[in-house]
């Protein structure tokens, strides 16, 4: 059975109803979360981050996802020093001010360890703990981990989007990474899985992942899905990133219908309303 509760360090969260994970991207080239938290001189502005987090919490966010590496297709890799300098002070400042679970969007073992020390409660890795030392670093924190499927690297992922059978490949990959995490002594009920919408996949693959999300339930892990503002929505609607809210909500709603437990989003308020409507319908079902 998939767990119904996550122990995220000193805080616990229930998975009895779906959770909203709010994106806080602290890269200077942040493209789609509206806020840039850097001054004209390139200095990270902690008060700007904290004001944004406060607003997201007022809108009903359950988890704050802090990332300092741009995983945008074709993005330039960030150095370890820059990633640490972006992410660690932000996690510390959020946890000092708010009682909220912070997830850290990273792949590097050094960032995993220091983020946990700074108060992070979830490790969110688009590389599914594949970097050397990442499994051991994550296991050492005893925190929940999110393992995501990506084809290739952010630099190369859209260059090869051919699969024999995308769904089967993603499923087999996640099953393999779940096995690797278990073998590294990460507890089974500390593993979240994510099919990686938009990471090295075509529009048709991305749609099939949502339509057939139910197929991942046999792995008995809570499912996390990130569709917010992604380019498949832009292609279908022919709309720029700031006009993709309705498309994002439709895909997020279908993900909930298929049993997703965590939605990673930019637009917290509208997503929280959608989740409340989904919950109301869900509770009414069969009556
Ligand atoms: C440019 C393109 C910038 C895409 C950022 C992105 C996911 C994630 C991201 C996801 C999990 C974004 C993505 N996407 N982590 N990190 N699942 N677990 O839209 O789908 O934020 S980065």
């Amino acid at each position: 059975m998939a767990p119904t509760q996550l122990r995220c360090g000193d805080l616990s969260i229930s998975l009895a109803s779906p959770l909203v994970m709010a994106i806080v991207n602290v890269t200077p080239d942040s493209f789609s979360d509206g806020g840039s938290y850097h001054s004209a001189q390139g200095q990270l502005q902690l008060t700007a981050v904290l004001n944004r987090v406060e607003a997201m919490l007022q809108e009903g966010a359950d988890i704050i996802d802090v990332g300092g590496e741009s995983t945008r297709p074709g993005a330039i890799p960030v150095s370890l020093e820059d990633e640490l300098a972006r992410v660690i002070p932000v996690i510390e400042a959020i946890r000092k001010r708010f009682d909220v679970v912070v997830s850290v969007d990273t792949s590097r073992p050094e960032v995993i360890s220091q983020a946990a020390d700074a108060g992070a409660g979830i490790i969110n890795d688009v590389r599914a703990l594949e970097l050397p030392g990442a499994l051991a670093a994550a296991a050492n924190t005893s925190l929940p981990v999110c393992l995501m499927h990506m084809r290739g690297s952010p630099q190369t992922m859209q260059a090869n989007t051919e699969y024999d059978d995308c769904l089967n490949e993603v499923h087999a990959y996640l099953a393999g990474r779940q096995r690797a995490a278990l073998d590294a002594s990460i507890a089974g009920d500390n593993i979240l899985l994510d099919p990686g919408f938009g990471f090295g996949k075509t529009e048709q693959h991305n749609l099939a992942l949502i339509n057939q999300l139910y197929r991942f339930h046999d792995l008995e892990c809570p499912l996390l899905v990130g569709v917010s503002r992604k380019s498949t929505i832009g292609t279908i609607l022919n709309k720029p990133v700031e006009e993709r809210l309705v498309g994002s909500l439709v895909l997020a709603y279908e993900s909930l219908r298929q049993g997703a437990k965590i939605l990673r989003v930019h637009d917290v308020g509208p997503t929280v309303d959608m989740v409340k409507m989904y919950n109301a319908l869900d509770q009414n079902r069969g009556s």
Side-chain angles (χ1 to χ4, degrees), residues 31 71-73 105 124 126 146 148 194 199 224 226 230 264:
F31 97 120
T71 41
R72 176 162 51 86
D105 200 332
N124 173 27
V126 299
C146 177
M148 196 196 80
D194 182 337
F199 284 85
L224 188 156
K230 284 185 178 171
R264 182 181 177 277

Side-chain angles (χ1 to χ4, degrees), residues 12-57:
S12 270
I13 42 179
S14 167
L15 295 170
S17 65
L19 301 180
V20 174
M21 172 187 267
I23 300 168
V24 174
N25 183 0
V26 291
T27 59
D29 65 336
S30 107
F31 97 120
S32 72
D33 67 356
S36 176
Y37 311 114
H38 292 262
S39 68
Q41 290 73 34
Q43 277 296 111
L44 181 61
Q45 307 285 286
L46 274 182
T47 40
V49 177
L50 290 174
N51 288 339
R52 180 84 183 112
V53 169
E54 184 172 37
M56 288 169 144
L57 292 175

Side-chain angles (χ1 to χ4, degrees), residues 108-143:
R108 289 185 162 124
E110 299 87 348
V111 182
I112 291 171
S113 304
Q114 291 191 39
D117 291 342
I122 296 175
I123 314 298
N124 173 27
D125 186 6
V126 299
R127 295 180 184 79
L129 303 176
E130 283 208 60
L131 289 194
L135 277 169
N140 231 286
T141 67
S142 302
L143 296 175

Side-chain angles (χ1 to χ4, degrees), residues 9 12 28 32 48 69 90 93 97 102 109 117 123-124 129 142 152 159 174 177-178 184 201 214 228 252 273 277 282:
S12 270
S32 72
E69 179 207 16
V90 169
R97 173 111 169 252
V102 173
D117 291 342
I123 314 298
N124 173 27
L129 303 176
S142 302
L174 291 179
R177 295 315 294 162
Q178 177 187 38
K201 296 161 186 102
Y214 67 88
S228 187
D273 280 358
M277 291 309 301
D282 194 43

